[in-house]
Amino acid sequence: MKNTSYKVLVLGSGGREHAIVWKLTQSEFLHSLYCIPGNGGISKHAKIESSIKLNEFEKIYEFIKENKIDIVIVGPEQPSVEGIKDYLSQYKIPVFSPTKIQAQLEGSKIFAKKFMKKYNIPTADFVVAENYEQAKSLLKEMFSKYKDGIVIKADGLAAGKGAVVCNTLEEAENTIYEMMIKKIFDKAGEKVVIEKKLNGIEISVIAFCDGETILPLTYSQDHKQIYDGDKGPNTGGMGAYSPVPFVSKILEEKIYSQIINNFLCGIKDSQIGYCGVIYFGLMIENLNTQPQPYVLEFNCRFGDPETQVLLPLLKDDFLQLVIHTINKNLHNFSKLSFENKYACCVVLASKGYPLEYETSKEITGLDEAEKISDVLIFHAGTKKIDNKFLTSGGRVLNVVGIGKTLQEAINTSYRAVDKIYFENKYFRTDIGKKGLIYDNI
Ligand code: AMP
Ligand code: GLY
């Protein structure tokens, strides 16, 4: 990788990938941009190839050869967990992604929990059940220990639906029956983790990591449930904001000393190593008294929709960071720098999401919304046909507002939301509210 101008291929099709592609367009190191499979919004910035699927590694390689791609950036977890980095490495293609083994930190909850235990990364107490009979008896043990409830997690990838919080033994028994006998997640639910339910507030810590150096972005917070007030089923994420006003010095010190440093020691000591983005999903217990962070999950990629609020605030050259990560040169950056501002992202979803949802609704008002200053719109489930944008997914658009205060960022994003129309558009009206309680600015 000696060029100073790179042809970059981004893999993925969501709001996260649109934000990545948009950020890449600002890089002084960018020659040209490609995206597989992309979406309607991404097609404004990159040449998209929507006929190739993300599990078609050979076709992806053909595309790379044909277009003389210099660097591949992987957005979602699936290709990393399936080993795209290992596959393309045989052809000496630089890939911004963890290897198949490294991606097990997301791809196997059992692997992740054992790693955390071994390297003293605070996480909920847990047991592993290898089969249904064992799970049934372990449930009783865990419930007698943790009367407040437990969480059952399918070992493998389950599209964000694999963790079920159970407040009663009956609920827990139903859950393991669904996962291990009815196999609703197929092989992913053959083994499960059963863990203590934690109580507190969740935040996301997302960092670049080259195996030696780890560089966290600012803190962000997702809104996973579909309805206001964190009610209803989990989704891929209905909104996010950053930075998070309630991360105190004392909490930050614990995040660094107990989580980030122990993670780094763990990947070195175990010789797993790491290259790419590592996402720590944290639960903070006792926020107002003795805050204690626990890792709920690792993800081996950027968060969605967290990326949509993080990248607009990042001042460093994103492509340069990617290159330094791949080349194990991240130590060249002592710290990442961010605008002294807030960003808030409201997700517009199709009626029915996160279950079966409507599609092919015409979207209007995008230009008007984008004209508002400090507004960015990242597409997720859209497609462009005859110069019109149509809905094509559950999460359709990410409407981002930037402001000097969190309140200002929230107001700006909702002003833009009001300008956009598609039939039965759905969104949460309380994105950022949890941060406002603590925002003294
Ligand atoms: P995970 O896939 O492990 O991130 O879990 C998905 C969601 O389930 C998290 O974002 C939390 O809202 C919830 N969750 C997971 N583990 C726990 C836990 N031990 N206690 C309470 N909630 C949890
Ligand atoms: N925002 C949660 C995730 O990306 O997994």
Side-chain angles (χ1 to χ4, degrees), residues 91-130:
Y91 304 110
K92 309 252 178 304
I93 314 275
V95 186
F96 181 70
S97 156
T99 61
K100 189 171 182 172
I101 290 182
Q102 293 161 1
Q104 285 293 292
L105 288 166
E106 174 165 2
S108 165
K109 297 277 186 199
I110 298 174
F111 183 88
K113 292 291 285 192
K114 288 184 174 167
F115 179 89
M116 289 188 245
K117 191 171 178 183
K118 181 161 180 199
Y119 294 106
N120 289 322
I121 296 170
T123 190
D125 184 29
F126 72 101
V127 288
V128 172
E130 308 255 350

Side-chain angles (χ1 to χ4, degrees), residues 308-326:
Q308 292 87 307
V309 290
L310 291 170
L311 295 190
L313 300 175
L314 177 69
K315 288 211 255 180
D316 298 291
D317 188 305
F318 181 74
L319 183 51
Q320 194 180 22
L321 278 163
V322 165
I323 295 165
H324 280 318
T325 306
I326 295 174

Side-chain angles (χ1 to χ4, degrees), residues 127-170:
V127 288
V128 172
E130 308 255 350
N131 57 54
Y132 179 65
E133 287 309 317
Q134 195 187 11
K136 270 209 311 197
S137 81
L138 285 171
L139 277 186
K140 293 202 177 81
E141 268 177 44
M142 289 297 272
F143 258 104
S144 63
K145 226 161 135 188
Y146 302 116
K147 308 238 163 359
D148 192 30
I150 53 124
V151 183
I152 300 175
K153 296 183 174 180
D155 179 42
L157 292 183
K161 295 183 191 143
V164 183
V165 180
C166 302
N167 296 313
T168 64
L169 182 59
E170 197 188 350

Side-chain angles (χ1 to χ4, degrees), residues 106-350:
E106 174 165 2
S108 165
K109 297 277 186 199
I110 298 174
F111 183 88
K113 292 291 285 192
K114 288 184 174 167
F115 179 89
M116 289 188 245
K117 191 171 178 183
K118 181 161 180 199
Y119 294 106
N120 289 322
I121 296 170
T123 190
D125 184 29
F126 72 101
V127 288
V128 172
E130 308 255 350
N131 57 54
Y132 179 65
E133 287 309 317
Q134 195 187 11
K136 270 209 311 197
S137 81
L138 285 171
L139 277 186
K140 293 202 177 81
E141 268 177 44
M142 289 297 272
F143 258 104
S144 63
K145 226 161 135 188
Y146 302 116
K147 308 238 163 359
D148 192 30
I150 53 124
V151 183
I152 300 175
K153 296 183 174 180
D155 179 42
L157 292 183
K161 295 183 191 143
V164 183
V165 180
C166 302
N167 296 313
T168 64
L169 182 59
E170 197 188 350
E171 264 177 86
E173 281 176 343
N174 284 341
T175 303
I176 56 159
Y177 184 79
E178 295 278 309
M179 286 188 191
M180 303 179 97
I181 301 291
K182 276 178 78 182
K183 298 198 189 301
I184 52 169
F185 302 128
D186 206 1
K187 275 186 170 336
E190 275 178 355
K191 296 178 189 170
V192 298
V193 166
I194 303 169
E195 69 181 41
K196 179 187 178 200
K197 178 178 134 192
L198 300 172
N199 293 300
I201 191 157
E202 287 181 55
I203 62 166
S204 309
V205 180
I206 299 173
F208 288 85
C209 180
D210 67 1
E212 290 293 328
T213 305
I214 186 159
L215 280 182
L217 292 111
T218 52
Y219 302 101
S220 54
Q221 191 176 46
D222 188 8
H223 296 65
K224 287 206 167 90
Q225 293 84 356
I226 184 81
Y227 303 127
D228 283 13
D230 293 340
K231 303 265 170 26
N234 269 357
T235 68
M238 293 302 294
Y241 70 89
S242 177
V244 180
F246 55 78
V247 178
S248 59
K249 265 262 151 308
I250 196 164
L251 173 56
E252 178 151 53
E253 273 162 21
K254 287 185 183 169
I255 293 172
Y256 270 81
S257 63
Q258 301 175 6
I259 296 172
I260 294 179
N261 287 342
N262 289 358
F263 174 81
L264 205 51
C265 290
I267 54 166
K268 287 187 197 173
D269 179 76
S270 61
Q271 300 190 358
I272 295 171
Y274 204 81
C275 170
V277 168
I278 181 73
Y279 169 133
F280 306 96
L282 305 186
M283 178 76 87
I284 316 298
E285 284 202 327
N286 305 319
L287 179 70
N288 297 318
T289 50
Q290 290 269 320
Q292 177 57 48
Y294 293 89
V295 175
L296 296 180
E297 64 166 341
F298 294 125
N299 290 322
C300 62
R301 51 166 172 85
F302 282 110
D304 187 339
E306 288 95 327
T307 308
Q308 292 87 307
V309 290
L310 291 170
L311 295 190
L313 300 175
L314 177 69
K315 288 211 255 180
D316 298 291
D317 188 305
F318 181 74
L319 183 51
Q320 194 180 22
L321 278 163
V322 165
I323 295 165
H324 280 318
T325 306
I326 295 174
N327 290 343
K328 297 195 187 300
N329 279 332
L330 262 189
H331 56 85
N332 287 340
F333 284 83
S334 55
K335 195 169 179 285
L336 300 179
S337 53
F338 290 89
E339 301 283 354
N340 192 15
K341 289 180 181 169
Y342 286 83
C344 170
C345 169
V346 178
V347 170
L348 304 187
S350 300

